[in-house]
Amino acid sequence: DAGITQSPRHKVTETGTPVTLRCHQTENHRYMYWYRQDPGHGLRLIHYSYGVKDTDKGEVSDGYSVSRSKTEDFLLTLESATSSQTSVYFCAIRKTGANTGELFFGEGSRLTVL
Amino acid sequence: QQQVKQSPQSLIVQKGGISIINCAYENTAFDYFPWYQQFPGKGPALLIAIRPDVSEKKEGRFTISFNKSAKQFSLHIMDSQPGDSATYFCAASTTGNQFYFGTGTSLTVIP
């Protein structure tokens, strides 16, 4: 257990509304990631963070923004949700040290945009 | 453009058989190749990983074979069990921060 909590776990919203997903970690790891998972596409990186207030874009960042004001929290915001953003969103952390390449994932947040 | 190409999309194997999933990449800067296992409703979990300085890594019934010149790597599951039924993702990353995942393989092991 890597101490990752995602909230909400399920959300249904309407097109055009803002949505924020939260990822909380308890182990103070520097690197945090947001992925989306869609059939036929696998896991695609949206944004990642390498420290407080340090973030960068991934391969599918359009329509998403992130913030990291504290080490333990990484927020993903959809400013105006669209149906194409219906997906399962996973937060991940990367532990540094001996196994520097290992990602630990949260349980996922299923978002449906109607 | 998919950085890591994975096949097959789905795989059905009899209990006790060998499951083989293949991945290919183009970026020679990749230096870490993990495989993740995901059960329904759960997040992916690291299964086994390899770095390009070795051609094979084995952990129990799971083996990664790595061919650096062909830029391919594969996961072999020996003596496949129904409990191995899951979705498997290969991935690749550089020493930096980005991980690129394959599109996943849904494995079903029939009792």
Side-chain angles (χ1 to χ4, degrees):
Chain A
D1 183 5
I4 303 170
T5 304
Q6 291 187 228
S7 60
R9 294 290 314 280
H10 300 272
K11 186 173 182 65
V12 180
T13 191
E14 294 188 351
T15 298
T17 60
V19 176
T20 295
L21 305 180
R22 179 180 183 241
C23 178
H24 178 80
Q25 60 151 328
T26 60
E27 299 182 357
N28 292 321
H29 294 289
R30 180 181 174 191
Y31 296 98
M32 299 183 75
Y33 305 77
W34 277 109
Y35 285 87
R36 61 178 289 175
Q37 184 176 11
D38 305 286
H41 292 278
L43 291 153
R44 292 180 292 174
L45 180 65
I46 304 171
H47 283 278
Y48 67 99
S49 171
Y50 46 95
V52 173
K53 297 186 180 180
D54 290 325
T55 64
D56 206 349
K57 297 179 179 180
E59 54 188 315
V60 290
S61 59
D62 288 348
Y64 301 94
S65 62
V66 291
S67 65
R68 193 165 178 203
S69 58
K70 298 183 292 184
T71 299
E72 59 266 36
D73 288 326
F74 191 31
L75 304 181
L76 176 69
T77 297
L78 292 65
E79 299 290 346
S80 178
T82 67
S83 58
S84 65
Q85 293 175 310
T86 293
S87 185
V88 180
Y89 292 86
F90 286 98
C91 173
I93 61 166
R94 179 163 72 91
K95 293 190 175 183
T96 54
N99 293 313
T100 57
E102 185 171 0
L103 293 182
F104 289 85
F105 286 86
E107 297 273 275
S109 295
R110 181 175 293 276
L111 175 67
T112 301
V113 183
L114 302 176
Chain B
Q1 182 182 0
Q2 196 74 27
Q3 294 269 355
V4 179
K5 296 182 179 180
Q6 183 173 346
S7 63
Q9 184 175 350
S10 62
L11 182 62
I12 300 174
V13 175
Q14 294 280 352
K15 178 182 176 182
I18 303 174
S19 304
I20 302 174
I21 305 170
N22 301 299
C23 286
Y25 65 97
E26 287 296 327
N27 188 347
T28 56
F30 289 144
D31 60 2
Y32 179 71
F33 301 89
W35 283 90
Y36 283 80
Q37 180 188 56
Q38 183 181 31
F39 293 105
K42 300 293 186 181
L46 180 68
L47 184 63
I48 187 173
I50 197 169
R51 295 195 182 271
D53 52 343
V54 297
S55 61
E56 185 175 283
K57 183 174 182 181
K58 184 177 181 179
E59 291 184 359
R61 296 184 293 107
F62 301 92
T63 300
I64 299 178
S65 296
F66 185 81
N67 186 328
K68 189 173 181 178
S69 61
K71 292 184 283 187
Q72 296 175 347
F73 58 110
S74 59
L75 175 69
H76 295 239
I77 306 175
M78 311 300 287
D79 188 26
S80 299
Q81 299 297 311
D84 297 331
S85 298
T87 299
Y88 293 81
F89 293 96
C90 61
S93 76
T94 62
T95 307
N97 301 315
Q98 292 210 26
F99 286 70
Y100 296 92
F101 285 81
T103 51
T105 296
S106 176
L107 172 65
T108 301
V109 181
I110 301 172

